[in-house]
Amino acid sequence: MYQGTKIFALSLLSGLVAACQQVPNTPQSMTGIGAYEQVRAPSFAQAVMPVPISEQQRLEQDTEKYQKNEVNPVFRVSDQAISTFSIDVDTGSYSNTRRFLNDGRLPPADAVRIEEMINYFDYQYPQPIGIHPFSVTTETVDSPWKQNAKLIKIGIQAKDLSVKQLPPANLVFLIDVSGSMSAPDKLPLVKQTLRLLTEQLRPQDKVTIITYASGEKLVLKPTSGDQKDKILSVINALKANGATAGERAIQLAYQQAETAFVKNGINRILLATDGDFNVGITDFNTLKSMVTEKRKSGISLTTLGFGTGNYNEQLMEQLADAGDGNYSYIDNKNEAKKVVQRQLSSTLATVAQDVKIQVEFNPATVKEYRLIGYENRMLKQEDFNNDKVDAGDIGAGHRVTAFYEIIPAGQQGWLNDSRYQAQTKPDATKKSEYAFVNLRYKLPNQDKSILLNQAVKMGSKPLAQAHSDTRFAVAVASYAQQLKGGQYNGSVGWDQIIQLAQQSAQPDPYQMREEFVELAKIAKSLSAKKD
């Protein structure tokens, strides 16, 4: 009797504390795509209801998983002049971080991947006009973070395709319907997302639906995209119950995708889950190795992440990378529209595979450099010319942006000058270039890579005179660096980040940049490092 009373008292106290903690502390006005409704405190009746012990323990123990990546270091050009990395077009880190901020919490540092923050937004790069499936542009500006430093922006624009131009698609919806997916921001939002995608289907497209919980089940055999009512009826009937056995379900998804394989078409699995695999093969490396092997069949894997509390972001991001697909985190219906409606072509159709970037810095003009983001996409120098080494893919219409911060020769950088190492003597014939950018890629379903390169000319412009897209991208990079602790932001704080974003927020047809300003304001209010 005493033990039961004690449990009830603890539950009552937990409910009252939760009620106090949920008082809204977000700005009174939230605008733009992805904005959450104001958080409402529970009623007194809700607050005093005993919380089941299992649920109470779940709330007290946040089991979300994130991959730890150390921030890229500074390199001395005289020691290591070449930097090599793989393209990344994932955007899940941005929307996942947004979810934390809208919940009144700063995100874990490991949840922030700078390149995904930058690449969440649309930038106006020129469409390719030559033989290559993408264009490459560069712009160099004065860095706002460190005196005398420069920022080199590399922008890639893949050729665009309308939905009508897409080849026939063989899609397998692999849906987690386990008990952990019952929350409103999980299976109900998955169903909304798949309804939006179904609306885009054409008669030449085929959809297969597989669900998994304690077991996997084929609930819809390959069905033509013109039978939308049949597809939607299956989606609408989905319910959450059971444990999560994801490994066998992924195997079944690949089997079904192979059965309905479309030659020269789009063959893709879309995995919708919180990533909480707890039955069967749950080892991260085993699952990743399985997907890595399966991609050789020409079937890609895209992951769509949902939910909070037990969300396994590390698994979702890495499975998509291993499966030559994209990773997105969907926190609301507007994000679902962005991913599967406005960006359907880039989500499904690949125009370039295994895209690698290698930048060689000129020791006559550059003393030090650091790559901003892409920590889990770094490659060895010898990987660049090795066509057996996998890299990222670019979808139709995708835009990819990368920044290097450099210290010009003769300027004080992050590192002390060496006392004994001989200083590089400038070569007058090469003083017109900061760097030389090499890109390798393969056309879809080809084994031999193609090389594309161009020089980065010496010289820069003040940030205030840069293209508005560049200024906004710098604001986003500053925001992401600040969320990770601000190690390289110098004197740039939240006020300067917000001001720079506001000054470069146009054009903004979907209010994405307007929303970013609001998120930066929330981050400022939550941060202990206020200006």
Side-chain angles (χ1 to χ4, degrees), residues 85-99:
F85 67 98
S86 165
I87 280 297
D88 186 11
V89 290
D90 295 337
T91 59
S93 179
Y94 180 87
S95 48
N96 187 37
T97 296
R98 175 177 64 202
R99 181 254 300 186

Side-chain angles (χ1 to χ4, degrees), residues 80 82-85 356-359 378-390 440 449:
Q80 185 169 323
I82 295 176
S83 171
T84 310
F85 67 98
K356 306 169 188 175
I357 297 180
Q358 188 168 81
V359 179
M378 302 307 297
L379 298 174
K380 299 175 184 176
Q381 183 176 338
E382 60 268 27
D383 291 343
F384 184 73
N385 293 324
N386 187 349
D387 286 347
K388 297 294 185 181
V389 175
D390 182 69
R440 277 200 178 276
S449 66

